[in-house]
Amino acid sequence: MSKPQLQYTSLDMVMTGHLIKRLVSEAGYSVSEIQHKLGLSCPQPIYRWYKGQNLPSVDHLFILSGILGLHMEDFLLQKDERLWLVEKSENKMIFKRLLAYAQKFLASAG
């Protein structure tokens, strides 16, 4: 029996940017605070991430993960990945991840 193969896709830059913006905002940080924590001379790179025009470097993702207490992978979304919202207390929303490739993997395994 052959081992099922995962299908890999590229990152969804726009959805990743929206997710980074949401995570930073929900943690209570402003753009200028993140700018200073990352040692950036101007805020434009952060706004570009938020718009999905660019992605943070690995170094910046690593620092963001430490600041927000998340894994670096939690900031990145694949093109075929979906998010859904789950209500939390005080009308706050949190993101939960549903990996489309995990469904494909399980479907092909069974």
Side-chain angles (χ1 to χ4, degrees):
M1 183 158 139
S2 66
K3 189 174 183 179
Q5 296 294 313
L6 293 177
Q7 297 294 320
Y8 296 100
T9 64
S10 60
L11 294 175
D12 187 327
M13 290 177 53
V14 172
M15 288 306 296
T16 294
H18 290 304
L19 178 60
I20 292 171
K21 182 178 182 178
R22 171 68 73 136
L23 293 171
V24 167
S25 175
E26 286 182 354
Y29 291 102
S30 69
V31 170
S32 63
E33 289 172 317
I34 294 298
Q35 171 193 343
H36 293 294
K37 288 183 180 292
L38 296 177
L40 297 170
S41 61
C42 63
Q44 276 72 25
I46 298 168
Y47 290 116
R48 287 186 197 114
W49 302 340
Y50 288 0
K51 292 178 184 177
Q53 295 171 340
N54 290 326
L55 292 173
S57 67
V58 172
D59 189 49
H60 288 147
L61 276 176
F62 184 73
I63 296 168
L64 278 174
S65 71
I67 293 168
L68 301 179
L70 298 168
H71 293 283
M72 290 173 45
E73 298 163 345
D74 292 335
F75 294 96
L76 304 173
L77 296 174
Q78 293 182 28
K79 285 191 178 180
D80 62 349
E81 192 169 8
R82 304 288 182 258
L83 291 177
W84 74 96
L85 296 172
V86 177
E87 266 189 64
K88 203 176 179 185
S89 62
E90 301 171 9
N91 290 332
K92 288 194 174 186
M93 304 297 275
I94 59 170
F95 284 105
K96 284 199 168 186
R97 301 175 82 176
L98 173 62
L99 303 174
Y101 70 84
Q103 288 181 332
K104 293 176 190 172
F105 180 81
L106 292 173
S108 64

